[in-house]
PDB file of all heavy atoms in Angstrom:
ATOM      1  N   PRO A   1     -79.200 -16.714 -11.002  1.00 50.00           N
ATOM      2  CA  PRO A   1     -79.431 -18.129 -11.306  1.00 50.00           C
ATOM      3  C   PRO A   1     -80.397 -18.734 -10.306  1.00 50.00           C
ATOM      4  O   PRO A   1     -80.493 -18.297  -9.174  1.00 50.00           O
ATOM      5  CB  PRO A   1     -78.027 -18.755 -11.177  1.00 50.00           C
ATOM      6  CG  PRO A   1     -77.269 -17.803 -10.323  1.00 50.00           C
ATOM      7  CD  PRO A   1     -77.828 -16.450 -10.601  1.00 50.00           C
ATOM      8  N   PRO A   2     -81.162 -19.762 -10.726  1.00 51.00           N
ATOM      9  CA  PRO A   2     -82.129 -20.368  -9.811  1.00 51.00           C
ATOM     10  C   PRO A   2     -81.457 -20.889  -8.560  1.00 51.00           C
ATOM     11  O   PRO A   2     -80.350 -21.416  -8.614  1.00 51.00           O
ATOM     12  CB  PRO A   2     -82.742 -21.503 -10.633  1.00 51.00           C
ATOM     13  CG  PRO A   2     -81.767 -21.745 -11.741  1.00 51.00           C
ATOM     14  CD  PRO A   2     -81.107 -20.441 -12.009  1.00 51.00           C
ATOM     15  N   ALA A   3     -82.170 -20.692  -7.475  1.00 51.00           N
ATOM     16  CA  ALA A   3     -81.589 -21.123  -6.196  1.00 51.00           C
ATOM     17  C   ALA A   3     -81.429 -22.629  -6.171  1.00 51.00           C
ATOM     18  O   ALA A   3     -82.294 -23.370  -6.625  1.00 51.00           O
ATOM     19  CB  ALA A   3     -82.488 -20.677  -5.058  1.00 51.00           C
ATOM     20  N   THR A   4     -80.315 -23.060  -5.675  1.00 49.00           N
ATOM     21  CA  THR A   4     -80.060 -24.494  -5.546  1.00 49.00           C
ATOM     22  C   THR A   4     -80.386 -24.910  -4.124  1.00 49.00           C
ATOM     23  O   THR A   4     -79.891 -24.326  -3.180  1.00 49.00           O
ATOM     24  CB  THR A   4     -78.579 -24.806  -5.827  1.00 49.00           C
ATOM     25  OG1 THR A   4     -78.266 -24.323  -7.124  1.00 49.00           O
ATOM     26  CG2 THR A   4     -78.315 -26.304  -5.737  1.00 49.00           C
ATOM     27  N   PRO A   5     -81.280 -25.898  -3.949  1.00 47.00           N
ATOM     28  CA  PRO A   5     -81.614 -26.281  -2.576  1.00 47.00           C
ATOM     29  C   PRO A   5     -80.395 -26.760  -1.819  1.00 47.00           C
ATOM     30  O   PRO A   5     -79.553 -27.462  -2.363  1.00 47.00           O
ATOM     31  CB  PRO A   5     -82.640 -27.411  -2.763  1.00 47.00           C
ATOM     32  CG  PRO A   5     -82.541 -27.815  -4.198  1.00 47.00           C
ATOM     33  CD  PRO A   5     -81.919 -26.687  -4.954  1.00 47.00           C
ATOM     34  N   SER A   6     -80.329 -26.349  -0.574  1.00 48.00           N
ATOM     35  CA  SER A   6     -79.176 -26.741   0.227  1.00 48.00           C
ATOM     36  C   SER A   6     -79.260 -28.225   0.545  1.00 48.00           C
ATOM     37  O   SER A   6     -80.334 -28.811   0.555  1.00 48.00           O
ATOM     38  CB  SER A   6     -79.134 -25.934   1.526  1.00 48.00           C
ATOM     39  OG  SER A   6     -80.333 -26.120   2.225  1.00 48.00           O
ATOM     40  N   ASP A   7     -78.111 -28.793   0.819  1.00 47.00           N
ATOM     41  CA  ASP A   7     -78.089 -30.218   1.153  1.00 47.00           C
ATOM     42  C   ASP A   7     -78.873 -30.448   2.432  1.00 47.00           C
ATOM     43  O   ASP A   7     -78.773 -29.688   3.380  1.00 47.00           O
ATOM     44  CB  ASP A   7     -76.637 -30.683   1.365  1.00 47.00           C
ATOM     45  CG  ASP A   7     -75.860 -30.639   0.066  1.00 47.00           C
ATOM     46  OD1 ASP A   7     -76.513 -30.716  -0.992  1.00 47.00           O
ATOM     47  OD2 ASP A   7     -74.625 -30.518   0.121  1.00 47.00           O
ATOM     48  N   PRO A   8     -79.680 -31.522   2.483  1.00 44.00           N
ATOM     49  CA  PRO A   8     -80.439 -31.778   3.706  1.00 44.00           C
ATOM     50  C   PRO A   8     -79.524 -32.097   4.869  1.00 44.00           C
ATOM     51  O   PRO A   8     -78.453 -32.657   4.687  1.00 44.00           O
ATOM     52  CB  PRO A   8     -81.298 -32.998   3.331  1.00 44.00           C
ATOM     53  CG  PRO A   8     -80.567 -33.637   2.192  1.00 44.00           C
ATOM     54  CD  PRO A   8     -79.873 -32.521   1.464  1.00 44.00           C
ATOM     55  N   GLU A   9     -79.983 -31.719   6.054  1.00 46.00           N
ATOM     56  CA  GLU A   9     -79.207 -32.009   7.250  1.00 46.00           C
ATOM     57  C   GLU A   9     -79.166 -33.513   7.467  1.00 46.00           C
ATOM     58  O   GLU A   9     -80.160 -34.201   7.279  1.00 46.00           O
ATOM     59  CB  GLU A   9     -79.847 -31.341   8.469  1.00 46.00           C
ATOM     60  CG  GLU A   9     -79.746 -29.834   8.465  1.00 46.00           C
ATOM     61  CD  GLU A   9     -78.325 -29.352   8.602  1.00 46.00           C
ATOM     62  OE1 GLU A   9     -77.538 -30.043   9.258  1.00 46.00           O
ATOM     63  OE2 GLU A   9     -77.985 -28.314   8.032  1.00 46.00           O
ATOM     64  N   PRO A  10     -78.003 -34.058   7.841  1.00 41.00           N
ATOM     65  CA  PRO A  10     -77.967 -35.497   8.104  1.00 41.00           C
ATOM     66  C   PRO A  10     -78.832 -35.860   9.292  1.00 41.00           C
ATOM     67  O   PRO A  10     -78.953 -35.111  10.240  1.00 41.00           O
ATOM     68  CB  PRO A  10     -76.473 -35.757   8.409  1.00 41.00           C
ATOM     69  CG  PRO A  10     -75.940 -34.434   8.833  1.00 41.00           C
ATOM     70  CD  PRO A  10     -76.733 -33.401   8.095  1.00 41.00           C
ATOM     71  N   THR A  11     -79.487 -37.030   9.180  1.00 39.00           N
ATOM     72  CA  THR A  11     -80.312 -37.500  10.283  1.00 39.00           C
ATOM     73  C   THR A  11     -79.427 -38.119  11.337  1.00 39.00           C
ATOM     74  O   THR A  11     -78.662 -39.024  11.051  1.00 39.00           O
ATOM     75  CB  THR A  11     -81.315 -38.549   9.765  1.00 39.00           C
ATOM     76  OG1 THR A  11     -82.093 -37.963   8.731  1.00 39.00           O
ATOM     77  CG2 THR A  11     -82.210 -39.036  10.899  1.00 39.00           C
ATOM     78  N   PRO A  12     -79.529 -37.569  12.558  1.00 38.00           N
ATOM     79  CA  PRO A  12     -78.670 -38.148  13.590  1.00 38.00           C
ATOM     80  C   PRO A  12     -79.061 -39.577  13.901  1.00 38.00           C
ATOM     81  O   PRO A  12     -80.217 -39.933  13.873  1.00 38.00           O
ATOM     82  CB  PRO A  12     -78.926 -37.227  14.795  1.00 38.00           C
ATOM     83  CG  PRO A  12     -80.248 -36.602  14.525  1.00 38.00           C
ATOM     84  CD  PRO A  12     -80.398 -36.530  13.036  1.00 38.00           C
ATOM     85  N   THR A  13     -78.117 -40.316  14.130  1.00 34.00           N
ATOM     86  CA  THR A  13     -78.386 -41.679  14.524  1.00 34.00           C
ATOM     87  C   THR A  13     -77.709 -41.957  15.845  1.00 34.00           C
ATOM     88  O   THR A  13     -76.692 -41.372  16.170  1.00 34.00           O
ATOM     89  CB  THR A  13     -77.865 -42.654  13.472  1.00 34.00           C
ATOM     90  OG1 THR A  13     -76.481 -42.427  13.266  1.00 34.00           O
ATOM     91  CG2 THR A  13     -78.596 -42.464  12.160  1.00 34.00           C
ATOM     92  N   GLY A  14     -78.313 -42.861  16.548  1.00 35.00           N
ATOM     93  CA  GLY A  14     -77.766 -43.216  17.816  1.00 35.00           C
ATOM     94  C   GLY A  14     -76.720 -44.258  17.726  1.00 35.00           C
ATOM     95  O   GLY A  14     -76.315 -44.654  16.642  1.00 35.00           O
ATOM     96  N   THR A  15     -76.262 -44.710  18.876  1.00 35.00           N
ATOM     97  CA  THR A  15     -75.175 -45.697  18.906  1.00 35.00           C
ATOM     98  C   THR A  15     -75.531 -46.932  18.123  1.00 35.00           C
ATOM     99  O   THR A  15     -74.689 -47.554  17.492  1.00 35.00           O
ATOM    100  CB  THR A  15     -74.951 -46.131  20.367  1.00 35.00           C
ATOM    101  OG1 THR A  15     -75.195 -45.030  21.196  1.00 35.00           O
ATOM    102  CG2 THR A  15     -73.551 -46.631  20.577  1.00 35.00           C
ATOM    103  N   ASP A  16     -76.809 -47.342  18.183  1.00 39.00           N
ATOM    104  CA  ASP A  16     -77.194 -48.587  17.564  1.00 39.00           C
ATOM    105  C   ASP A  16     -77.998 -48.358  16.308  1.00 39.00           C
ATOM    106  O   ASP A  16     -78.854 -49.135  15.971  1.00 39.00           O
ATOM    107  CB  ASP A  16     -78.027 -49.401  18.550  1.00 39.00           C
ATOM    108  CG  ASP A  16     -77.897 -48.864  19.942  1.00 39.00           C
ATOM    109  OD1 ASP A  16     -76.948 -49.140  20.611  1.00 39.00           O
ATOM    110  OD2 ASP A  16     -78.742 -48.138  20.360  1.00 39.00           O
ATOM    111  N   GLY A  17     -77.699 -47.329  15.617  1.00 38.00           N
ATOM    112  CA  GLY A  17     -78.480 -47.049  14.443  1.00 38.00           C
ATOM    113  C   GLY A  17     -79.800 -46.428  14.817  1.00 38.00           C
ATOM    114  O   GLY A  17     -80.788 -46.640  14.139  1.00 38.00           O
ATOM    115  N   SER A  18     -79.787 -45.618  15.826  1.00 39.00           N
ATOM    116  CA  SER A  18     -80.980 -45.059  16.300  1.00 39.00           C
ATOM    117  C   SER A  18     -81.248 -43.733  15.724  1.00 39.00           C
ATOM    118  O   SER A  18     -80.507 -43.230  14.919  1.00 39.00           O
ATOM    119  CB  SER A  18     -80.987 -44.931  17.789  1.00 39.00           C
ATOM    120  OG  SER A  18     -80.274 -43.793  18.197  1.00 39.00           O
ATOM    121  N   ASP A  19     -82.346 -43.038  16.234  1.00 40.00           N
ATOM    122  CA  ASP A  19     -82.729 -41.743  15.720  1.00 40.00           C
ATOM    123  C   ASP A  19     -82.144 -40.590  16.495  1.00 40.00           C
ATOM    124  O   ASP A  19     -82.647 -39.475  16.466  1.00 40.00           O
ATOM    125  CB  ASP A  19     -84.241 -41.649  15.737  1.00 40.00           C
ATOM    126  CG  ASP A  19     -84.767 -41.928  17.114  1.00 40.00           C
ATOM    127  OD1 ASP A  19     -83.946 -42.199  17.998  1.00 40.00           O
ATOM    128  OD2 ASP A  19     -85.979 -41.872  17.301  1.00 40.00           O
ATOM    129  N   GLY A  20     -81.023 -40.795  17.186  1.00 37.00           N
ATOM    130  CA  GLY A  20     -80.424 -39.757  17.960  1.00 37.00           C
ATOM    131  C   GLY A  20     -80.734 -39.783  19.408  1.00 37.00           C
ATOM    132  O   GLY A  20     -80.212 -39.014  20.198  1.00 37.00           O
ATOM    133  N   SER A  21     -81.597 -40.700  19.821  1.00 38.00           N
ATOM    134  CA  SER A  21     -81.846 -40.819  21.218  1.00 38.00           C
ATOM    135  C   SER A  21     -80.728 -41.546  21.898  1.00 38.00           C
ATOM    136  O   SER A  21     -79.870 -42.127  21.269  1.00 38.00           O
ATOM    137  CB  SER A  21     -83.157 -41.546  21.476  1.00 38.00           C
ATOM    138  OG  SER A  21     -83.071 -42.834  20.889  1.00 38.00           O
ATOM    139  N   ASP A  22     -80.791 -41.561  23.280  1.00 45.00           N
ATOM    140  CA  ASP A  22     -79.685 -42.144  24.014  1.00 45.00           C
ATOM    141  C   ASP A  22     -79.608 -43.652  23.836  1.00 45.00           C
ATOM    142  O   ASP A  22     -78.533 -44.229  23.825  1.00 45.00           O
ATOM    143  CB  ASP A  22     -79.808 -41.817  25.506  1.00 45.00           C
ATOM    144  CG  ASP A  22     -79.582 -40.351  25.746  1.00 45.00           C
ATOM    145  OD1 ASP A  22     -78.939 -39.721  24.892  1.00 45.00           O
ATOM    146  OD2 ASP A  22     -80.047 -39.825  26.767  1.00 45.00           O
ATOM    147  N   GLY A  23     -80.773 -44.320  23.762  1.00 49.00           N
ATOM    148  CA  GLY A  23     -80.764 -45.769  23.683  1.00 49.00           C
ATOM    149  C   GLY A  23     -80.941 -46.247  22.264  1.00 49.00           C
ATOM    150  O   GLY A  23     -81.289 -45.488  21.372  1.00 49.00           O
ATOM    151  N   PRO A  24     -80.697 -47.573  22.016  1.00 54.00           N
ATOM    152  CA  PRO A  24     -80.869 -48.109  20.685  1.00 54.00           C
ATOM    153  C   PRO A  24     -82.315 -48.068  20.238  1.00 54.00           C
ATOM    154  O   PRO A  24     -83.219 -48.311  21.026  1.00 54.00           O
ATOM    155  CB  PRO A  24     -80.362 -49.548  20.801  1.00 54.00           C
ATOM    156  CG  PRO A  24     -80.135 -49.806  22.236  1.00 54.00           C
ATOM    157  CD  PRO A  24     -80.204 -48.513  22.984  1.00 54.00           C
ATOM    158  N   ALA A  25     -82.516 -47.799  18.946  1.00 59.00           N
ATOM    159  CA  ALA A  25     -83.873 -47.725  18.432  1.00 59.00           C
ATOM    160  C   ALA A  25     -84.532 -49.091  18.394  1.00 59.00           C
ATOM    161  O   ALA A  25     -85.748 -49.193  18.467  1.00 59.00           O
ATOM    162  CB  ALA A  25     -83.864 -47.109  17.039  1.00 59.00           C
ATOM    163  N   ASP A  26     -83.766 -50.191  18.246  1.00 76.00           N
ATOM    164  CA  ASP A  26     -84.337 -51.525  18.119  1.00 76.00           C
ATOM    165  C   ASP A  26     -84.080 -52.361  19.365  1.00 76.00           C
ATOM    166  O   ASP A  26     -83.913 -53.573  19.280  1.00 76.00           O
ATOM    167  CB  ASP A  26     -83.769 -52.218  16.882  1.00 76.00           C
ATOM    168  CG  ASP A  26     -82.244 -52.290  16.916  1.00 76.00           C
ATOM    169  OD1 ASP A  26     -81.649 -51.647  17.798  1.00 76.00           O
ATOM    170  OD2 ASP A  26     -81.661 -52.993  16.060  1.00 76.00           O
ATOM    171  N   ASP A  27     -84.058 -51.755  20.532  1.00 85.00           N
ATOM    172  CA  ASP A  27     -83.808 -52.454  21.781  1.00 85.00           C
ATOM    173  C   ASP A  27     -84.996 -53.364  22.098  1.00 85.00           C
ATOM    174  O   ASP A  27     -86.087 -52.889  22.418  1.00 85.00           O
ATOM    175  CB  ASP A  27     -83.593 -51.431  22.901  1.00 85.00           C
ATOM    176  CG  ASP A  27     -83.397 -52.084  24.265  1.00 85.00           C
ATOM    177  OD1 ASP A  27     -83.335 -53.323  24.333  1.00 85.00           O
ATOM    178  OD2 ASP A  27     -83.297 -51.336  25.264  1.00 85.00           O
ATOM    179  N   PRO A  28     -84.818 -54.685  22.022  1.00 89.00           N
ATOM    180  CA  PRO A  28     -85.949 -55.580  22.287  1.00 89.00           C
ATOM    181  C   PRO A  28     -86.310 -55.662  23.765  1.00 89.00           C
ATOM    182  O   PRO A  28     -87.343 -56.238  24.117  1.00 89.00           O
ATOM    183  CB  PRO A  28     -85.440 -56.931  21.773  1.00 89.00           C
ATOM    184  CG  PRO A  28     -83.964 -56.865  21.926  1.00 89.00           C
ATOM    185  CD  PRO A  28     -83.586 -55.427  21.686  1.00 89.00           C
ATOM    186  N   LEU A  29     -85.461 -55.095  24.621  1.00 93.00           N
ATOM    187  CA  LEU A  29     -85.717 -55.143  26.057  1.00 93.00           C
ATOM    188  C   LEU A  29     -86.307 -53.841  26.593  1.00 93.00           C
ATOM    189  O   LEU A  29     -86.532 -53.713  27.798  1.00 93.00           O
ATOM    190  CB  LEU A  29     -84.413 -55.446  26.810  1.00 93.00           C
ATOM    191  CG  LEU A  29     -83.628 -56.681  26.339  1.00 93.00           C
ATOM    192  CD1 LEU A  29     -82.372 -56.867  27.184  1.00 93.00           C
ATOM    193  CD2 LEU A  29     -84.495 -57.930  26.390  1.00 93.00           C
ATOM    194  N   ALA A  30     -86.548 -52.876  25.703  1.00 92.00           N
ATOM    195  CA  ALA A  30     -86.966 -51.539  26.141  1.00 92.00           C
ATOM    196  C   ALA A  30     -88.266 -51.575  26.944  1.00 92.00           C
ATOM    197  O   ALA A  30     -88.459 -50.774  27.863  1.00 92.00           O
ATOM    198  CB  ALA A  30     -87.106 -50.620  24.936  1.00 92.00           C
ATOM    199  N   ALA A  31     -89.168 -52.487  26.600  1.00 92.00           N
ATOM    200  CA  ALA A  31     -90.460 -52.520  27.277  1.00 92.00           C
ATOM    201  C   ALA A  31     -90.425 -53.282  28.594  1.00 92.00           C
ATOM    202  O   ALA A  31     -91.419 -53.290  29.328  1.00 92.00           O
ATOM    203  CB  ALA A  31     -91.512 -53.133  26.353  1.00 92.00           C
ATOM    204  N   LEU A  32     -89.317 -53.925  28.902  1.00 95.00           N
ATOM    205  CA  LEU A  32     -89.244 -54.747  30.114  1.00 95.00           C
ATOM    206  C   LEU A  32     -88.848 -53.913  31.328  1.00 95.00           C
ATOM    207  O   LEU A  32     -87.953 -53.082  31.255  1.00 95.00           O
ATOM    208  CB  LEU A  32     -88.236 -55.882  29.926  1.00 95.00           C
ATOM    209  CG  LEU A  32     -88.595 -56.975  28.922  1.00 95.00           C
ATOM    210  CD1 LEU A  32     -87.471 -58.015  28.864  1.00 95.00           C
ATOM    211  CD2 LEU A  32     -89.915 -57.639  29.303  1.00 95.00           C
ATOM    212  N   ASP A  33     -89.509 -54.173  32.434  1.00 96.00           N
ATOM    213  CA  ASP A  33     -89.144 -53.600  33.722  1.00 96.00           C
ATOM    214  C   ASP A  33     -88.360 -54.675  34.477  1.00 96.00           C
ATOM    215  O   ASP A  33     -88.921 -55.742  34.783  1.00 96.00           O
ATOM    216  CB  ASP A  33     -90.401 -53.215  34.498  1.00 96.00           C
ATOM    217  CG  ASP A  33     -90.104 -52.674  35.893  1.00 96.00           C
ATOM    218  OD1 ASP A  33     -88.916 -52.675  36.305  1.00 96.00           O
ATOM    219  OD2 ASP A  33     -91.070 -52.278  36.575  1.00 96.00           O
ATOM    220  N   PRO A  34     -87.085 -54.462  34.762  1.00 97.00           N
ATOM    221  CA  PRO A  34     -86.312 -55.524  35.410  1.00 97.00           C
ATOM    222  C   PRO A  34     -86.867 -55.935  36.766  1.00 97.00           C
ATOM    223  O   PRO A  34     -86.635 -57.065  37.212  1.00 97.00           O
ATOM    224  CB  PRO A  34     -84.905 -54.920  35.529  1.00 97.00           C
ATOM    225  CG  PRO A  34     -85.089 -53.450  35.409  1.00 97.00           C
ATOM    226  CD  PRO A  34     -86.277 -53.255  34.528  1.00 97.00           C
ATOM    227  N   CYS A  35     -87.612 -55.055  37.409  1.00 97.00           N
ATOM    228  CA  CYS A  35     -88.190 -55.390  38.713  1.00 97.00           C
ATOM    229  C   CYS A  35     -89.538 -56.104  38.597  1.00 97.00           C
ATOM    230  O   CYS A  35     -90.141 -56.464  39.621  1.00 97.00           O
ATOM    231  CB  CYS A  35     -88.354 -54.129  39.558  1.00 97.00           C
ATOM    232  SG  CYS A  35     -86.785 -53.434  40.143  1.00 97.00           S
ATOM    233  N   ALA A  36     -90.028 -56.298  37.368  1.00 96.00           N
ATOM    234  CA  ALA A  36     -91.319 -56.969  37.180  1.00 96.00           C
ATOM    235  C   ALA A  36     -91.174 -58.289  36.429  1.00 96.00           C
ATOM    236  O   ALA A  36     -92.180 -58.906  36.080  1.00 96.00           O
ATOM    237  CB  ALA A  36     -92.273 -56.040  36.432  1.00 96.00           C
ATOM    238  N   MET A  37     -89.951 -58.727  36.181  1.00 97.00           N
ATOM    239  CA  MET A  37     -89.754 -59.949  35.396  1.00 97.00           C
ATOM    240  C   MET A  37     -89.995 -61.216  36.214  1.00 97.00           C
ATOM    241  O   MET A  37     -90.301 -62.271  35.658  1.00 97.00           O
ATOM    242  CB  MET A  37     -88.343 -59.958  34.806  1.00 97.00           C
ATOM    243  CG  MET A  37     -88.103 -58.828  33.810  1.00 97.00           C
ATOM    244  SD  MET A  37     -86.456 -58.859  33.066  1.00 97.00           S
ATOM    245  CE  MET A  37     -86.581 -60.332  32.040  1.00 97.00           C
ATOM    246  N   VAL A  38     -89.836 -61.127  37.511  1.00 97.00           N
ATOM    247  CA  VAL A  38     -90.109 -62.258  38.401  1.00 97.00           C
ATOM    248  C   VAL A  38     -91.233 -61.838  39.347  1.00 97.00           C
ATOM    249  O   VAL A  38     -91.137 -60.800  40.014  1.00 97.00           O
ATOM    250  CB  VAL A  38     -88.849 -62.663  39.197  1.00 97.00           C
ATOM    251  CG1 VAL A  38     -89.158 -63.871  40.082  1.00 97.00           C
ATOM    252  CG2 VAL A  38     -87.692 -62.974  38.258  1.00 97.00           C
TER     253      VAL A  38
END
């Protein structure tokens, strides 16, 4: 019988709906350096 494609691997998500990285994907503070804010 024709091969049935296997189910795709689930995409890992991070704590905040991320792509599996440690930090949130939509972190609005990611670009900020806390030592450069003042």
Side-chain angles (χ1 to χ4, degrees):
T4 303
S6 57
D7 293 336
E9 291 294 329
T11 303
T13 56
T15 326
D16 345 279
S18 80
D19 55 359
S21 59
D22 291 337
D26 57 350
D27 177 5
L29 308 181
L32 292 180
D33 177 355
C35 289
M37 296 182 69
V38 182

